[in-house]
Every structure is written in C-alpha cells, then in structure tokens.
Amino acid sequence: MFWSRGSRESQGSQGSSNAYEYALYEEFGFTIARRGYDRDQVNAYITRLRGDTPPSEVAAFELVRRGYERSRVDEVIAQLHREADREK
C-alpha cells in the first residue's frame, strides 16, 4: 500500500461515523498503532470497495498517530480485492 506522511493528525476525526467505525474495527480485527493508516480514510475506502462501484484508484492512506496498524489493513484490502475479482 502507498502512504504519505500527512498532517491530518492535528485535524481530528471530522465527520466519522463511530458506530460504523467500530463495526469495521471489530469485523476485520484492526488494531491501533502509534503511527498507522488514517482510520477515516481506511473506513471510507473499505466502504467504497464493498459497495456497488468499487474505487478505481490505488489505496493511499496518510500516516497518523493512533491509526490502524498498516500490515493488517494491507492484508484486508488485498483480500477484499481478491474477493471482488472472483465475483466478476
């Protein structure tokens, strides 16, 4: 996965849906890391990936404090892409 060192960590979690965030967190077993992928960005990407029109862009998430652990997110997204390819 591609990532960038963004400055979103100072912006907080604007507009996130905590109920859905926790569902993804639990469903995929994401852990929180000291520096990890931005949780809102990961949640939005997975939501689009599971929707009717999956994203065409490559997944790219900013690194932030207390984000999702990177290797687990990479595993989950790769698995979801494989499942989507099988359904075609």
Side-chain angles (χ1 to χ4, degrees):
M1 286 299 122
F2 296 99
W3 54 271
S4 64
R5 294 181 191 265
S7 61
R8 281 199 52 183
E9 56 196 42
S10 63
Q11 295 175 2
S13 300
Q14 298 171 349
S16 70
S17 169
N18 285 338
Y20 190 68
E21 180 177 324
Y22 290 124
L24 284 177
Y25 181 87
E26 292 173 0
E27 180 178 354
F28 295 115
F30 292 143
T31 57
I32 304 301
R34 179 178 284 187
R35 299 272 307 157
Y37 289 145
D38 182 279
R39 290 183 276 175
D40 290 335
Q41 291 175 355
V42 171
N43 292 343
Y45 187 85
I46 289 176
T47 300
R48 288 193 326 264
L49 187 58
R50 297 167 99 187
D52 294 335
T53 55
S56 58
E57 73 274 2
V58 175
F61 310 113
E62 293 180 20
L63 281 181
V64 297
R65 284 189 194 147
R66 302 203 34 81
Y68 287 143
E69 194 269 319
R70 293 177 277 175
S71 62
R72 180 65 185 144
V73 171
D74 294 343
E75 291 172 12
V76 167
I77 289 177
Q79 178 65 32
L80 291 172
H81 276 290
R82 284 192 297 272
E83 291 173 7
D85 289 342
R86 273 188 242 136
E87 292 178 7
K88 287 182 181 180

